[in-house]
Short mmCIF file of all heavy atoms in Angstrom, two decimals:
data_model
loop_
_atom_site.label_atom_id
_atom_site.label_comp_id
_atom_site.label_asym_id
_atom_site.label_seq_id
_atom_site.Cartn_x
_atom_site.Cartn_y
_atom_site.Cartn_z
N LEU F 351 45.14 32.70 -55.14
CA LEU F 351 44.83 33.91 -54.38
C LEU F 351 43.87 34.81 -55.16
O LEU F 351 43.88 34.84 -56.39
CB LEU F 351 46.11 34.68 -54.06
CG LEU F 351 47.16 33.95 -53.21
CD1 LEU F 351 48.41 34.80 -53.08
CD2 LEU F 351 46.60 33.59 -51.85
N GLU F 352 43.06 35.56 -54.43
CA GLU F 352 42.12 36.47 -55.08
C GLU F 352 42.85 37.58 -55.82
O GLU F 352 42.46 37.97 -56.92
CB GLU F 352 41.18 37.07 -54.03
CG GLU F 352 40.08 37.94 -54.63
CD GLU F 352 39.10 38.44 -53.58
OE1 GLU F 352 39.22 38.03 -52.40
OE2 GLU F 352 38.21 39.24 -53.94
N HIS F 353 43.92 38.09 -55.21
CA HIS F 353 44.73 39.13 -55.85
C HIS F 353 46.18 38.68 -55.87
O HIS F 353 46.70 38.20 -54.86
CB HIS F 353 44.60 40.46 -55.10
CG HIS F 353 43.18 40.95 -54.96
ND1 HIS F 353 42.45 41.42 -56.03
CD2 HIS F 353 42.35 41.00 -53.87
CE1 HIS F 353 41.23 41.76 -55.62
NE2 HIS F 353 41.15 41.51 -54.31
N GLU F 354 46.86 38.87 -57.00
CA GLU F 354 48.22 38.35 -57.13
C GLU F 354 49.22 39.06 -56.22
O GLU F 354 50.28 38.50 -55.90
CB GLU F 354 48.70 38.44 -58.57
CG GLU F 354 48.86 39.87 -59.10
CD GLU F 354 49.47 39.89 -60.48
OE1 GLU F 354 49.51 38.83 -61.13
OE2 GLU F 354 49.91 40.98 -60.92
N ASP F 355 48.89 40.29 -55.77
CA ASP F 355 49.80 41.00 -54.87
C ASP F 355 49.45 40.77 -53.39
O ASP F 355 50.02 41.40 -52.51
CB ASP F 355 49.80 42.50 -55.17
CG ASP F 355 48.42 43.13 -55.03
OD1 ASP F 355 47.42 42.39 -54.88
OD2 ASP F 355 48.33 44.38 -55.08
N GLN F 356 48.54 39.84 -53.15
CA GLN F 356 48.16 39.51 -51.77
C GLN F 356 49.29 38.73 -51.10
O GLN F 356 49.72 37.69 -51.61
CB GLN F 356 46.88 38.66 -51.79
CG GLN F 356 46.36 38.26 -50.42
CD GLN F 356 45.07 37.45 -50.55
OE1 GLN F 356 44.38 37.52 -51.56
NE2 GLN F 356 44.77 36.66 -49.51
N PRO F 357 49.80 39.21 -49.95
CA PRO F 357 50.92 38.50 -49.31
C PRO F 357 50.47 37.20 -48.66
O PRO F 357 49.33 37.08 -48.20
CB PRO F 357 51.42 39.50 -48.26
CG PRO F 357 50.21 40.31 -47.92
CD PRO F 357 49.42 40.43 -49.21
N VAL F 358 51.37 36.23 -48.64
CA VAL F 358 51.11 34.97 -47.97
C VAL F 358 51.87 34.99 -46.65
O VAL F 358 53.08 34.80 -46.62
CB VAL F 358 51.56 33.78 -48.84
CG1 VAL F 358 51.34 32.47 -48.10
CG2 VAL F 358 50.81 33.78 -50.17
N VAL F 359 51.15 35.25 -45.56
CA VAL F 359 51.77 35.37 -44.25
C VAL F 359 51.47 34.09 -43.46
O VAL F 359 50.57 34.06 -42.63
CB VAL F 359 51.27 36.63 -43.51
CG1 VAL F 359 52.07 36.86 -42.24
CG2 VAL F 359 51.37 37.85 -44.41
N TRP F 360 52.22 33.04 -43.79
CA TRP F 360 52.02 31.73 -43.16
C TRP F 360 53.31 31.29 -42.49
O TRP F 360 54.41 31.68 -42.88
CB TRP F 360 51.63 30.68 -44.20
CG TRP F 360 50.33 30.92 -44.90
CD1 TRP F 360 49.34 31.76 -44.51
CD2 TRP F 360 49.88 30.30 -46.10
NE1 TRP F 360 48.30 31.71 -45.38
CE2 TRP F 360 48.59 30.82 -46.39
CE3 TRP F 360 50.41 29.35 -46.96
CZ2 TRP F 360 47.87 30.43 -47.48
CZ3 TRP F 360 49.69 28.95 -48.06
CH2 TRP F 360 48.42 29.48 -48.32
N ARG F 361 53.15 30.44 -41.48
CA ARG F 361 54.32 29.85 -40.84
C ARG F 361 54.84 28.66 -41.66
O ARG F 361 54.15 28.14 -42.53
CB ARG F 361 53.98 29.40 -39.42
CG ARG F 361 53.62 30.56 -38.48
CD ARG F 361 53.51 30.11 -37.05
NE ARG F 361 53.12 31.21 -36.17
CZ ARG F 361 53.96 32.09 -35.64
NH1 ARG F 361 55.26 31.99 -35.91
NH2 ARG F 361 53.53 33.05 -34.85
N GLY F 362 56.07 28.24 -41.34
CA GLY F 362 56.75 27.22 -42.12
C GLY F 362 55.96 25.96 -42.39
O GLY F 362 55.86 25.52 -43.54
N PRO F 363 55.37 25.32 -41.37
CA PRO F 363 54.64 24.08 -41.62
C PRO F 363 53.47 24.26 -42.59
O PRO F 363 53.17 23.34 -43.37
CB PRO F 363 54.15 23.68 -40.22
CG PRO F 363 55.13 24.31 -39.29
CD PRO F 363 55.50 25.61 -39.92
N VAL F 364 52.80 25.43 -42.54
CA VAL F 364 51.67 25.65 -43.45
C VAL F 364 52.18 25.84 -44.87
O VAL F 364 51.59 25.34 -45.84
CB VAL F 364 50.85 26.88 -42.99
CG1 VAL F 364 49.66 27.09 -43.91
CG2 VAL F 364 50.38 26.71 -41.55
N LEU F 365 53.31 26.55 -45.02
CA LEU F 365 53.91 26.72 -46.34
C LEU F 365 54.29 25.37 -46.93
O LEU F 365 54.02 25.08 -48.09
CB LEU F 365 55.16 27.61 -46.24
CG LEU F 365 54.96 29.06 -45.83
CD1 LEU F 365 56.31 29.73 -45.61
CD2 LEU F 365 54.17 29.81 -46.89
N ALA F 366 54.93 24.55 -46.10
CA ALA F 366 55.35 23.23 -46.56
C ALA F 366 54.14 22.37 -46.95
O ALA F 366 54.18 21.63 -47.94
CB ALA F 366 56.17 22.54 -45.48
N GLY F 367 53.05 22.49 -46.18
CA GLY F 367 51.85 21.73 -46.49
C GLY F 367 51.24 22.13 -47.81
O GLY F 367 50.72 21.29 -48.56
N ALA F 368 51.32 23.43 -48.13
CA ALA F 368 50.77 23.90 -49.40
C ALA F 368 51.53 23.31 -50.58
O ALA F 368 50.94 22.91 -51.59
CB ALA F 368 50.82 25.44 -49.45
N VAL F 369 52.84 23.24 -50.45
CA VAL F 369 53.66 22.67 -51.53
C VAL F 369 53.32 21.19 -51.71
O VAL F 369 53.18 20.70 -52.85
CB VAL F 369 55.16 22.84 -51.23
CG1 VAL F 369 56.00 22.09 -52.26
CG2 VAL F 369 55.53 24.31 -51.24
N THR F 370 53.16 20.47 -50.62
CA THR F 370 52.81 19.06 -50.70
C THR F 370 51.46 18.88 -51.40
O THR F 370 51.27 17.94 -52.19
CB THR F 370 52.76 18.43 -49.30
OG1 THR F 370 54.02 18.60 -48.66
CG2 THR F 370 52.45 16.95 -49.38
N GLN F 371 50.52 19.78 -51.13
CA GLN F 371 49.21 19.69 -51.78
C GLN F 371 49.30 19.92 -53.28
O GLN F 371 48.47 19.39 -54.04
CB GLN F 371 48.24 20.70 -51.15
CG GLN F 371 47.71 20.27 -49.79
CD GLN F 371 46.65 21.22 -49.29
OE1 GLN F 371 46.93 22.34 -48.89
NE2 GLN F 371 45.42 20.77 -49.32
N PHE F 372 50.27 20.69 -53.73
CA PHE F 372 50.45 20.87 -55.16
C PHE F 372 50.86 19.56 -55.82
O PHE F 372 50.73 19.40 -57.04
CB PHE F 372 51.53 21.93 -55.45
CG PHE F 372 51.08 23.34 -55.18
CD1 PHE F 372 51.99 24.38 -55.14
CD2 PHE F 372 49.75 23.64 -54.97
CE1 PHE F 372 51.58 25.69 -54.90
CE2 PHE F 372 49.32 24.93 -54.73
CZ PHE F 372 50.25 25.96 -54.69
N TRP F 373 51.37 18.62 -55.04
CA TRP F 373 51.74 17.30 -55.54
C TRP F 373 50.58 16.31 -55.40
O TRP F 373 50.29 15.53 -56.31
CB TRP F 373 52.96 16.80 -54.78
CG TRP F 373 53.44 15.43 -55.12
CD1 TRP F 373 53.27 14.29 -54.39
CD2 TRP F 373 54.18 15.03 -56.29
NE1 TRP F 373 53.86 13.21 -55.01
CE2 TRP F 373 54.42 13.63 -56.18
CE3 TRP F 373 54.66 15.72 -57.40
CZ2 TRP F 373 55.12 12.92 -57.15
CZ3 TRP F 373 55.36 15.01 -58.37
CH2 TRP F 373 55.58 13.63 -58.24
N THR F 374 49.88 16.37 -54.27
CA THR F 374 48.84 15.38 -53.98
C THR F 374 47.48 15.75 -54.54
O THR F 374 46.67 14.86 -54.86
CB THR F 374 48.71 15.17 -52.47
OG1 THR F 374 48.35 16.43 -51.84
CG2 THR F 374 50.02 14.68 -51.86
N ASP F 375 47.18 17.04 -54.65
CA ASP F 375 45.83 17.47 -54.99
C ASP F 375 45.68 18.04 -56.39
O ASP F 375 44.55 18.29 -56.84
CB ASP F 375 45.35 18.54 -53.99
CG ASP F 375 45.21 17.99 -52.58
OD1 ASP F 375 45.43 16.77 -52.39
OD2 ASP F 375 44.93 18.76 -51.66
N VAL F 376 46.77 18.27 -57.09
CA VAL F 376 46.70 18.85 -58.44
C VAL F 376 46.67 17.72 -59.47
O VAL F 376 47.51 16.82 -59.44
CB VAL F 376 47.88 19.79 -58.70
CG1 VAL F 376 47.88 20.26 -60.16
CG2 VAL F 376 47.83 20.98 -57.77
N ALA F 377 45.71 17.78 -60.38
CA ALA F 377 45.59 16.78 -61.45
C ALA F 377 46.48 17.21 -62.61
O ALA F 377 46.04 17.91 -63.52
CB ALA F 377 44.14 16.65 -61.88
N TRP F 378 47.73 16.77 -62.59
CA TRP F 378 48.71 17.19 -63.60
C TRP F 378 48.49 16.51 -64.94
O TRP F 378 48.98 16.99 -65.97
CB TRP F 378 50.12 16.90 -63.10
CG TRP F 378 50.57 17.75 -61.96
CD1 TRP F 378 50.60 17.42 -60.63
CD2 TRP F 378 51.06 19.10 -62.03
NE1 TRP F 378 51.07 18.47 -59.88
CE2 TRP F 378 51.36 19.50 -60.71
CE3 TRP F 378 51.27 19.99 -63.08
CZ2 TRP F 378 51.86 20.77 -60.42
CZ3 TRP F 378 51.77 21.25 -62.80
CH2 TRP F 378 52.06 21.63 -61.48
N GLY F 379 47.81 15.36 -64.95
CA GLY F 379 47.68 14.62 -66.20
C GLY F 379 48.99 13.91 -66.53
O GLY F 379 49.77 13.56 -65.64
N ASP F 380 49.25 13.70 -67.81
CA ASP F 380 50.47 13.03 -68.25
C ASP F 380 51.56 14.06 -68.53
O ASP F 380 51.40 14.94 -69.38
CB ASP F 380 50.20 12.22 -69.53
CG ASP F 380 49.29 11.04 -69.27
OD1 ASP F 380 49.34 10.50 -68.15
OD2 ASP F 380 48.52 10.67 -70.17
N LEU F 381 52.68 13.95 -67.82
CA LEU F 381 53.81 14.84 -68.02
C LEU F 381 55.09 14.01 -68.19
O LEU F 381 55.28 13.00 -67.52
CB LEU F 381 54.00 15.77 -66.81
CG LEU F 381 52.92 16.80 -66.51
CD1 LEU F 381 53.31 17.62 -65.28
CD2 LEU F 381 52.67 17.71 -67.70
N ASP F 382 55.94 14.48 -69.09
CA ASP F 382 57.27 13.88 -69.21
C ASP F 382 58.18 14.38 -68.11
O ASP F 382 58.97 13.62 -67.55
CB ASP F 382 57.87 14.20 -70.58
CG ASP F 382 57.12 13.52 -71.71
OD1 ASP F 382 56.93 12.29 -71.63
OD2 ASP F 382 56.72 14.20 -72.67
N VAL F 383 58.08 15.66 -67.80
CA VAL F 383 58.94 16.24 -66.77
C VAL F 383 58.21 17.37 -66.05
O VAL F 383 57.52 18.17 -66.67
CB VAL F 383 60.27 16.76 -67.38
CG1 VAL F 383 60.02 17.81 -68.46
CG2 VAL F 383 61.19 17.30 -66.31
N LEU F 384 58.35 17.37 -64.74
CA LEU F 384 57.80 18.44 -63.90
C LEU F 384 58.98 19.17 -63.27
O LEU F 384 59.80 18.57 -62.57
CB LEU F 384 56.90 17.86 -62.81
CG LEU F 384 56.36 18.88 -61.79
CD1 LEU F 384 55.35 19.81 -62.44
CD2 LEU F 384 55.74 18.16 -60.59
N PHE F 385 59.07 20.47 -63.54
CA PHE F 385 60.10 21.29 -62.92
C PHE F 385 59.52 21.94 -61.65
O PHE F 385 58.38 22.41 -61.66
CB PHE F 385 60.59 22.39 -63.87
CG PHE F 385 61.37 21.88 -65.04
CD1 PHE F 385 60.77 21.77 -66.29
CD2 PHE F 385 62.68 21.48 -64.89
CE1 PHE F 385 61.48 21.28 -67.37
CE2 PHE F 385 63.41 21.00 -65.96
CZ PHE F 385 62.82 20.89 -67.21
N ILE F 386 60.32 21.96 -60.59
CA ILE F 386 59.90 22.59 -59.35
C ILE F 386 60.78 23.81 -59.11
O ILE F 386 62.00 23.69 -58.95
CB ILE F 386 59.99 21.63 -58.16
CG1 ILE F 386 59.12 20.40 -58.40
CG2 ILE F 386 59.58 22.33 -56.87
CD1 ILE F 386 59.12 19.41 -57.25
N ASP F 387 60.16 24.98 -59.11
CA ASP F 387 60.87 26.22 -58.80
C ASP F 387 60.97 26.33 -57.29
O ASP F 387 60.00 26.63 -56.61
CB ASP F 387 60.11 27.42 -59.39
CG ASP F 387 60.81 28.73 -59.14
OD1 ASP F 387 62.02 28.72 -58.83
OD2 ASP F 387 60.16 29.80 -59.26
N MET F 388 62.15 26.06 -56.76
CA MET F 388 62.33 25.95 -55.32
C MET F 388 62.44 27.32 -54.65
O MET F 388 62.94 28.27 -55.24
CB MET F 388 63.60 25.16 -55.02
CG MET F 388 63.56 23.73 -55.49
SD MET F 388 62.52 22.69 -54.45
CE MET F 388 63.52 22.63 -52.96
N PRO F 389 61.99 27.40 -53.39
CA PRO F 389 62.23 28.63 -52.62
C PRO F 389 63.69 28.65 -52.16
O PRO F 389 64.36 27.62 -52.14
CB PRO F 389 61.28 28.47 -51.43
CG PRO F 389 61.16 27.00 -51.25
CD PRO F 389 61.23 26.40 -52.62
N PRO F 390 64.20 29.82 -51.78
CA PRO F 390 65.59 29.90 -51.32
C PRO F 390 65.77 29.26 -49.95
O PRO F 390 64.80 29.06 -49.21
CB PRO F 390 65.86 31.40 -51.27
CG PRO F 390 64.51 32.02 -51.06
CD PRO F 390 63.55 31.15 -51.81
N GLY F 391 67.01 28.94 -49.63
CA GLY F 391 67.32 28.44 -48.30
C GLY F 391 67.29 26.93 -48.21
O GLY F 391 67.09 26.21 -49.20
N THR F 392 67.49 26.43 -47.00
CA THR F 392 67.49 24.99 -46.73
C THR F 392 66.57 24.68 -45.55
O THR F 392 66.84 23.78 -44.76
CB THR F 392 68.93 24.51 -46.41
OG1 THR F 392 69.46 25.29 -45.33
CG2 THR F 392 69.83 24.66 -47.61
N GLY F 393 65.48 25.43 -45.44
CA GLY F 393 64.57 25.29 -44.30
C GLY F 393 63.39 24.37 -44.57
O GLY F 393 63.48 23.40 -45.33
N ASP F 394 62.26 24.69 -43.94
CA ASP F 394 61.08 23.83 -43.95
C ASP F 394 60.61 23.44 -45.35
O ASP F 394 60.41 22.26 -45.66
CB ASP F 394 59.91 24.51 -43.22
CG ASP F 394 60.07 24.45 -41.71
OD1 ASP F 394 60.88 23.63 -41.25
OD2 ASP F 394 59.41 25.22 -41.01
N VAL F 395 60.39 24.46 -46.21
CA VAL F 395 59.79 24.17 -47.51
C VAL F 395 60.74 23.39 -48.42
O VAL F 395 60.33 22.36 -48.99
CB VAL F 395 59.31 25.47 -48.19
CG1 VAL F 395 58.67 25.15 -49.54
CG2 VAL F 395 58.30 26.19 -47.30
N PRO F 396 62.01 23.80 -48.59
CA PRO F 396 62.91 22.97 -49.40
C PRO F 396 63.04 21.55 -48.87
O PRO F 396 63.06 20.58 -49.64
CB PRO F 396 64.25 23.72 -49.33
CG PRO F 396 63.88 25.13 -49.05
CD PRO F 396 62.68 25.04 -48.16
N LEU F 397 63.11 21.41 -47.54
CA LEU F 397 63.23 20.07 -46.96
C LEU F 397 61.98 19.24 -47.26
O LEU F 397 62.07 18.05 -47.57
CB LEU F 397 63.45 20.18 -45.46
CG LEU F 397 63.63 18.85 -44.70
CD1 LEU F 397 64.84 18.09 -45.24
CD2 LEU F 397 63.77 19.11 -43.20
N THR F 398 60.81 19.87 -47.17
CA THR F 398 59.56 19.16 -47.48
C THR F 398 59.54 18.69 -48.93
O THR F 398 59.14 17.56 -49.22
CB THR F 398 58.34 20.07 -47.21
OG1 THR F 398 58.28 20.36 -45.82
CG2 THR F 398 57.05 19.39 -47.64
N VAL F 399 59.97 19.55 -49.85
CA VAL F 399 60.00 19.16 -51.26
C VAL F 399 60.94 17.98 -51.45
O VAL F 399 60.59 16.98 -52.10
CB VAL F 399 60.45 20.35 -52.14
CG1 VAL F 399 60.65 19.89 -53.59
CG2 VAL F 399 59.41 21.46 -52.10
N PHE F 400 62.15 18.07 -50.88
CA PHE F 400 63.14 17.02 -51.08
C PHE F 400 62.70 15.69 -50.47
O PHE F 400 63.04 14.63 -50.98
CB PHE F 400 64.47 17.45 -50.47
CG PHE F 400 65.27 18.39 -51.34
CD1 PHE F 400 64.77 18.85 -52.54
CD2 PHE F 400 66.52 18.82 -50.95
CE1 PHE F 400 65.48 19.72 -53.35
CE2 PHE F 400 67.26 19.68 -51.75
CZ PHE F 400 66.73 20.13 -52.95
N GLN F 401 61.93 15.75 -49.37
CA GLN F 401 61.53 14.51 -48.71
C GLN F 401 60.17 13.99 -49.17
O GLN F 401 59.94 12.78 -49.16
CB GLN F 401 61.49 14.73 -47.19
CG GLN F 401 62.86 14.88 -46.55
CD GLN F 401 62.79 14.90 -45.03
OE1 GLN F 401 61.87 15.45 -44.45
NE2 GLN F 401 63.78 14.32 -44.39
N SER F 402 59.26 14.89 -49.57
CA SER F 402 57.90 14.48 -49.88
C SER F 402 57.67 14.17 -51.35
O SER F 402 56.74 13.44 -51.70
CB SER F 402 56.90 15.56 -49.44
OG SER F 402 56.99 15.81 -48.06
N ILE F 403 58.50 14.73 -52.22
CA ILE F 403 58.33 14.53 -53.66
C ILE F 403 59.52 13.74 -54.19
O ILE F 403 60.67 14.09 -53.93
CB ILE F 403 58.21 15.89 -54.38
CG1 ILE F 403 56.98 16.64 -53.86
CG2 ILE F 403 58.11 15.70 -55.88
CD1 ILE F 403 56.80 18.03 -54.44
N PRO F 404 59.27 12.66 -54.93
CA PRO F 404 60.37 11.84 -55.45
C PRO F 404 61.13 12.54 -56.58
O PRO F 404 60.74 12.48 -57.74
CB PRO F 404 59.68 10.57 -55.95
CG PRO F 404 58.29 11.02 -56.27
CD PRO F 404 57.95 12.10 -55.29
N LEU F 405 62.20 13.22 -56.24
CA LEU F 405 62.98 13.98 -57.22
C LEU F 405 63.94 13.07 -57.96
O LEU F 405 64.61 12.22 -57.37
CB LEU F 405 63.75 15.10 -56.52
CG LEU F 405 62.92 16.17 -55.82
CD1 LEU F 405 63.83 17.16 -55.10
CD2 LEU F 405 62.02 16.89 -56.80
N ASP F 406 64.03 13.28 -59.26
CA ASP F 406 64.97 12.52 -60.09
C ASP F 406 66.26 13.29 -60.34
O ASP F 406 67.24 12.72 -60.82
CB ASP F 406 64.32 12.18 -61.43
CG ASP F 406 63.09 11.30 -61.24
OD1 ASP F 406 63.26 10.11 -60.93
OD2 ASP F 406 61.96 11.81 -61.39
N GLY F 407 66.26 14.58 -60.02
CA GLY F 407 67.47 15.37 -60.22
C GLY F 407 67.25 16.80 -59.79
O GLY F 407 66.12 17.23 -59.53
N ALA F 408 68.34 17.53 -59.68
CA ALA F 408 68.28 18.95 -59.31
C ALA F 408 69.26 19.73 -60.15
O ALA F 408 70.36 19.25 -60.48
CB ALA F 408 68.60 19.13 -57.83
N VAL F 409 68.87 20.93 -60.54
CA VAL F 409 69.74 21.88 -61.21
C VAL F 409 69.97 23.03 -60.24
O VAL F 409 69.01 23.60 -59.71
CB VAL F 409 69.12 22.40 -62.52
CG1 VAL F 409 69.97 23.52 -63.12
CG2 VAL F 409 68.94 21.27 -63.51
N ILE F 410 71.22 23.35 -59.97
CA ILE F 410 71.55 24.39 -59.00
C ILE F 410 71.95 25.67 -59.73
O ILE F 410 72.78 25.64 -60.64
CB ILE F 410 72.69 23.93 -58.07
CG1 ILE F 410 72.24 22.71 -57.26
CG2 ILE F 410 73.12 25.05 -57.14
CD1 ILE F 410 73.29 22.17 -56.32
N VAL F 411 71.33 26.77 -59.34
CA VAL F 411 71.58 28.07 -59.97
C VAL F 411 72.44 28.92 -59.07
O VAL F 411 72.23 28.99 -57.85
CB VAL F 411 70.25 28.80 -60.27
CG1 VAL F 411 70.50 30.12 -61.00
CG2 VAL F 411 69.32 27.91 -61.09
N SER F 412 73.43 29.57 -59.67
CA SER F 412 74.33 30.43 -58.92
C SER F 412 74.62 31.70 -59.71
O SER F 412 74.22 31.83 -60.86
CB SER F 412 75.65 29.70 -58.62
OG SER F 412 76.55 30.53 -57.90
N THR F 413 75.28 32.64 -59.08
CA THR F 413 75.84 33.81 -59.75
C THR F 413 77.34 33.82 -59.46
O THR F 413 77.81 33.08 -58.60
CB THR F 413 75.17 35.11 -59.27
OG1 THR F 413 75.28 35.19 -57.85
CG2 THR F 413 73.71 35.17 -59.68
N PRO F 414 78.11 34.64 -60.14
CA PRO F 414 79.57 34.52 -60.04
C PRO F 414 80.19 34.88 -58.69
O PRO F 414 81.33 34.50 -58.44
CB PRO F 414 80.08 35.49 -61.13
CG PRO F 414 78.95 35.63 -62.07
CD PRO F 414 77.72 35.54 -61.23
N GLN F 415 79.50 35.61 -57.83
CA GLN F 415 80.12 36.03 -56.57
C GLN F 415 80.47 34.83 -55.71
O GLN F 415 79.70 33.88 -55.58
CB GLN F 415 79.18 36.95 -55.77
CG GLN F 415 78.78 38.22 -56.50
CD GLN F 415 77.42 38.08 -57.14
OE1 GLN F 415 77.12 37.07 -57.76
NE2 GLN F 415 76.60 39.10 -56.99
#
Side-chain angles (χ1 to χ4, degrees):
L351 299 176
E352 185 176 355
H353 304 289
E354 66 174 14
D355 59 350
Q356 181 179 339
V358 177
V359 188
W360 296 344
R361 295 189 182 275
V364 181
L365 294 172
V369 173
T370 302
Q371 284 186 287
F372 287 168
W373 177 256
T374 60
D375 296 356
V376 174
W378 291 100
D380 292 328
L381 294 181
D382 293 308
V383 58
L384 175 69
F385 291 102
I386 301 182
D387 182 18
M388 296 286 290
T392 55
D394 283 344
V395 181
L397 182 60
T398 295
V399 173
F400 280 3
Q401 289 188 323
S402 300
I403 298 177
L405 298 176
D406 298 287
V409 174
I410 297 179
V411 183
S412 179
T413 55
Q415 301 98 316

